[in-house]
Amino acid sequence: MAAILSCHHSASPATPSKFISPSIPTNRTRFSISHKQFGTLSSSPLPIKCQIQNRQKGKSFSIKECAISIALAVGLVTGVPALDWSSNAYAANPVLPDLSVLISGPPIKDPGALLRYALPINNKAIREVQKPLEDITESLKVAGVKALDSVERNLRQASRALKQGKALIVSGLAESKKDHGVELLGKLEAGMDELQQIVEDRNRDGVAEKQKELLQYVGGVEEDMVDGFPYEVPEEYQSMPLLKGRATVDMKVKFKDNPTLTDCVFRIVLDGYNAPVTAGNFVDLVERHFYDGMEIQRADGFVVQTGDPEGPAEGFIDPSTEKTRTIPLEITVEGEKLPFYGSTLEELGLYKAQTKLPFNAFGTMAMARDEFEDNSASSQIFWLLKESELTPSNSNILDGRYAVFGYVTQNEDFLADLKVGDVIESIQVVSGLENLANPSYKIAG
């Protein structure tokens, strides 16, 4: 069982940061989002906890801030510490598709659920167990113990689906992982019995934690259905660092100017099934300690961004070539076995396509890039914090334009507390490093 990671409160305010606000245009290369730019779930059911003192979570945004966020959404890229108000800044802004195309059903915003549905599996039986367990979250929105009646219905549905579909679930397990999958199914059944007892005891406070544990087991079973990496990456990218599966990293950040927080560890799950080149590039940089000691370079309420190294370069300089290493835009959509490379979905005319890794969750992680060059991403990364009227979950204008490759799954709420000048003390791979193929850091080291 993994250790509990914490966010710690501070006794006194830190020295104010002197970093230039990322919302002030500079003469730096023109990019839409960035500092000089912008551009498997953990096996442990234990949450990473944060300790705070006198912390106010409620925040509001002015009309001006909302307008800025909308503008940023149209052109997330690398290069400027904010919006570029020059006459050329809007030269390549695309025409938005019809709003009816952007609007779809209720979005899934939970990062864990998004990662489960993004797995390359097709097993209806396990999904029929997963869905009612996820629906418990909605049931808990009902006030008081009345919520427990709905929770019990969700649990009955999940238990019935597991009983009726267990044989199909077991048959869907990869042969090499079958024993582990069966073990998880046993824990899932026992956990459902425990949740039933929690409901009967009218212990509303105990439901959410047990639900999280059960969904961890479901996710583990689903991952055990994946037998190896499901496709061949195009030949031109096969020599790049590739994450052929999933990996989990912990990012420890030191707050420099926060009266209530001193540091926090963010857990991030990277999805190489749907973004092997993008996630592989990031893990390779993590193993090079590229981000260790780097400051947060943009934090404007819309995104948090980092990854721009000191000096004139705006990305990672590969020591073997002495040139900036760039990666192609990489986006996987529902119904396709392989990602699309080198073009936005808009450029491909796929306006109605649903991305496998959407910008739905708070803390969605993606690559920043040059506004006018799809294949210019290198090392700059960003996390999406909030939605605007033009970027609602499941129907926003970021999907299909920027490569999502992971989600913050624990402590994501504290991303909103990050400010320019806060320091990434370290990023460490805690699981899944064995899924990294062609690691350049080993060659260099």
Side-chain angles (χ1 to χ4, degrees), residues 28-29 31 36 308-315 317 324 380:
R28 190 69 176 170
T29 305
F31 291 115
K36 298 173 212 172
D308 189 352
E310 293 183 0
E314 293 176 343
I317 303 297
T324 302
Q380 297 196 40

Side-chain angles (χ1 to χ4, degrees), residues 280-354:
N281 175 73
F282 177 75
V283 173
D284 189 67
L285 292 177
V286 166
E287 288 301 296
R288 286 175 173 271
H289 303 285
F290 177 83
Y291 298 98
D292 294 2
M294 187 173 287
E295 293 185 343
I296 298 299
Q297 298 155 350
R298 183 177 191 129
D300 55 12
F302 181 69
V303 299
V304 169
Q305 183 170 331
T306 191
D308 189 352
E310 293 183 0
E314 293 176 343
F316 166 65
I317 303 297
D318 190 334
S320 65
T321 64
E322 297 185 348
K323 296 180 180 179
T324 302
R325 185 172 80 187
T326 58
I327 58 174
L329 179 63
E330 181 179 46
I331 298 168
T332 302
V333 302
E334 296 286 352
E336 296 289 339
K337 293 183 179 180
L338 278 73
F340 288 104
Y341 290 93
S343 299
T344 67
L345 295 188
E346 182 181 13
E347 291 166 346
L348 295 171
L350 301 175
Y351 298 114
K352 295 184 179 181
Q354 293 292 312

Side-chain angles (χ1 to χ4, degrees), residues 125-136 151-166 169 188-189 192 195 214-215 218:
I126 191 64
R127 298 299 194 198
E128 288 179 346
V129 177
Q130 174 184 332
K131 183 62 167 62
L133 290 178
E134 292 173 343
D135 288 344
I136 289 175
V151 170
E152 189 167 20
R153 285 192 293 270
N154 299 142
L155 182 57
R156 268 201 312 267
Q157 184 180 351
S159 298
R160 183 168 58 249
L162 180 57
K163 182 177 181 180
Q164 295 175 349
K166 187 174 182 179
I169 294 172
L188 178 60
E189 289 176 309
M192 285 183 175
L195 180 55
L214 297 181
L215 287 171
V218 170

